[in-house]
Amino acid sequence: MSQQNLEALDVGTIREAFPILQREFNGEQLVYLDNAATTQTPDPVIDAMSDYYREYNANVHRGIHHLSQEASIAYEEAHDRVAEFIGASGGREEIVFTKNTTEAENLVAYAWGLNELGPGDEIVLTEMEHHASLVTWQQIGKRTGADVKYIRIDDDGRLDMDHAADIITDDTAMVSAVHVSNTLGTVNPVSDLVDIAHDHDALAFIDGAQAVPNRPVDVDAIDADFYAFSGHKMAGPTGIGVLYGKQAILEAMQPYLYGGDMITKVTYEESTWNDLPWKFEAGTPQIAEAVGLVAAIDYLEDIGMDRIEAHEEELARYAYEQLAADPDIEIYGPEPGPDRGGLVGFNLTGVHAHDLASIMNDHAVAIRAGDHCTQPLHDKLGVAASARASFYIYNTKAEIDELVSAIDDARQLFA
Ligand code: 7TS
């Protein structure tokens, strides 16, 4: 993509839409660089959810009255909007609302994995999986007897695709891979992985939690069988995530949760299942959150996903270059470029990442420190924890300068 031609974001106007960014701590304005954990919420999303509760709050799919009809239409159409946003040509049948990415992984692991996998089958993950996928498939492996294998990463934090081609075989039943690593920032060649999986008749699940918020994603083009992401990492509310699944595969799968709304006919002896996607949405769903997610998608698309991607790349490059110039800092993941997303994980020699984050916090700079739910990857990197600055549409280079100056403070304190 020729990002040079993209008009820069109007970050000043964007910031005005995020009331929380005005907060101050110790007299200093918040610098929020923890967007890979969760992003902040703009007024249009807060307003859409508030309007829902003020104007048309009701349960869905079960009321004849006006409010329930309005809520049901908004809730159902939210699936259409999500399908359009991620290029799912099958429409709402392919969009299941979950609590988050983690629940989407578990849904497939329980509803498909437990029923389909057994001894002799193999599940292939990457060494950079988030625990949401790693722990889930590891446990499904233990329960079914399927083996779990990991595609290696190279010294730059990229997937070793030769190794992928070696370990994905006719015994592979599922390949589950992260689209953008939340620790290394690596953008993985997911279409290539999906192709290798399909060459061996395996299914492919792509974890898009760190991709959908900040780059155009087209699930039809990627051709994954499943693709998942969370609303709260893309300017939307907490409590809602999305599982995209190819219609034929979702049709063939057993339900994950049982209860109201996911059935068509129930007797004391038997039950039959509702159409997609409702078969996978038991009980009262996330109605206000679905409304909020649509508002977030509208908001992001108004800005333009390609421009958001370019902004993230620019900030990541700037942060990388500032930090790489410091001999005491070790950065994880690939050099800046199209295969690095908008985050930088690093360590400052001699200072524990938690201490670093704590000094940052004294300067009202919010970063994350810890294992970022990738403990095995941290083991591989030979560190217990890392610090991570992650960017979004409202971040600026000036904020990265504040990060760098807070790092200098930490060094002096701990020297
Ligand atoms: N997959 C990836 C790649 C993630 O980064 C995360 C959350 C998840 C799955 C799980 O998302 P959830 O919405 O179900 O929690 N990652 C992070 C993080 O990096 N810091 O806090 C949460």
Side-chain angles (χ1 to χ4, degrees):
M1 180 178 307
S2 76
Q3 291 174 344
Q4 290 82 348
N5 299 332
L6 295 172
E7 200 191 319
L9 299 195
D10 179 357
V11 175
T13 303
I14 289 173
R15 290 183 72 86
E16 284 169 18
F18 290 82
I20 209 169
L21 297 178
Q22 301 308 318
R23 288 209 60 188
E24 294 186 358
F25 300 92
N26 310 325
E28 295 193 66
Q29 187 159 356
L30 169 67
V31 173
Y32 187 76
L33 301 177
D34 194 16
N35 295 286
T38 202
T39 50
Q40 297 303 341
T41 318
D43 281 328
V45 174
I46 299 169
D47 292 346
M49 294 177 75
S50 161
D51 285 350
Y52 165 78
Y53 281 118
R54 287 174 190 280
E55 305 279 345
Y56 57 103
N57 175 40
N59 213 324
V60 293
H61 295 156
R62 50 194 93 185
I64 302 289
H65 57 79
H66 289 299
L67 290 184
S68 179
Q69 287 176 22
E70 286 182 21
S72 298
I73 289 170
Y75 181 71
E76 290 178 11
E77 288 184 353
H79 294 72
D80 303 333
R81 184 71 181 96
V82 169
E84 184 192 13
F85 177 58
I86 59 167
S89 58
R92 67 171 64 170
E93 285 81 0
E94 299 190 319
I95 304 297
V96 177
F97 286 160
T98 60
K99 188 169 66 178
N100 47 33
T101 306
T102 305
E103 193 182 54
E105 296 266 8
N106 276 272
L107 190 162
V108 174
Y110 277 80
W112 178 85
L114 277 188
N115 290 308
E116 300 293 332
L117 297 175
D121 288 327
E122 292 181 354
I123 303 164
V124 174
L125 309 177
T126 77
E127 286 183 335
M128 61 174 96
E129 289 313 289
H130 187 278
H131 294 168
S133 118
L134 195 154
V135 177
T136 304
W137 289 111
Q138 181 187 67
Q139 294 308 309
I140 294 298
K142 289 186 193 302
R143 285 176 63 170
T144 60
D147 280 336
V148 179
K149 294 183 165 176
Y150 295 91
I151 303 168
R152 274 197 303 259
I153 56 168
D154 65 19
D155 291 342
D156 297 329
R158 293 188 176 90
L159 282 185
D160 177 343
M161 292 301 283
D162 291 335
H163 190 233
D166 274 354
I167 67 168
I168 299 172
T169 68
D170 289 346
D171 291 331
T172 308
M174 169 61 76
V175 176
S176 183
V178 73
H179 192 162
V180 178
S181 162
N182 71 327
T183 302
L184 303 170
T186 319
V187 182
N188 287 321
V190 285
S191 313
D192 296 344
L193 274 178
V194 171
D195 284 348
I196 301 174
H198 287 170
D199 284 347
H200 296 279
D201 291 330
L203 296 186
F205 187 124
I206 303 298
D207 168 352
Q210 301 293 350
V212 172
N214 45 44
R215 60 197 53 244
V217 167
D218 182 331
V219 292
D220 277 3
I222 293 170
D223 199 28
D225 303 285
F226 302 103
Y227 193 100
F229 56 100
S230 297
H232 69 94
K233 294 186 197 288
M234 49 183 288
T238 55
I240 189 162
V242 173
L243 172 68
Y244 156 84
K246 284 184 181 164
Q247 187 169 350
I249 297 171
L250 291 177
E251 295 279 9
M253 270 162 57
Q254 288 298 305
Y256 168 51
L257 296 174
Y258 299 104
D261 244 23
M262 51 75 66
I263 48 76
T264 43
K265 174 84 181 137
V266 179
T267 68
Y268 284 122
E269 290 76 32
E270 290 299 336
S271 303
T272 54
W273 312 137
N274 203 344
D275 296 335
L276 292 175
W278 325 122
K279 174 173 117 178
F280 291 107
E281 296 187 356
T284 301
Q286 308 86 320
I287 309 164
E289 290 77 6
V291 167
L293 181 61
V294 168
I297 290 171
D298 290 345
Y299 181 79
L300 295 179
E301 281 205 327
D302 271 357
I303 295 172
M305 294 311 296
D306 47 0
R307 291 169 68 212
I308 293 173
E309 182 183 15
H311 179 74
E312 297 253 334
E313 191 183 323
E314 192 183 332
L315 289 183
R317 178 180 298 277
Y318 184 71
Y320 188 101
E321 286 168 359
Q322 302 294 306
L323 298 178
D326 184 332
D328 295 335
I329 286 183
E330 184 180 14
I331 303 179
Y332 307 108
E335 292 195 349
D339 67 351
R340 170 180 267 281
L343 63 90
V344 182
F346 62 96
N347 266 307
L348 176 64
T349 308
V351 182
H352 192 283
H354 283 136
D355 293 331
L356 189 61
S358 169
I359 306 288
M360 301 268 161
N361 190 44
D362 293 343
H363 292 273
V365 177
I367 62 162
R368 171 129 191 225
D371 61 44
H372 316 307
C373 299
T374 56
Q375 283 182 15
L377 175 60
H378 277 79
D379 287 346
K380 175 151 179 131
L381 295 172
V383 291
S386 59
R388 182 187 67 191
S390 53
F391 313 113
Y392 210 41
I393 46 181
Y394 33 70
N395 290 127
T396 63
K397 289 183 180 167
E399 289 182 309
I400 293 169
D401 292 341
E402 293 199 35
L403 168 86
V404 170
S405 102
I407 291 174
D408 282 339
D409 260 26
R411 186 187 351 243
Q412 274 156 29
L413 262 169
F414 286 90

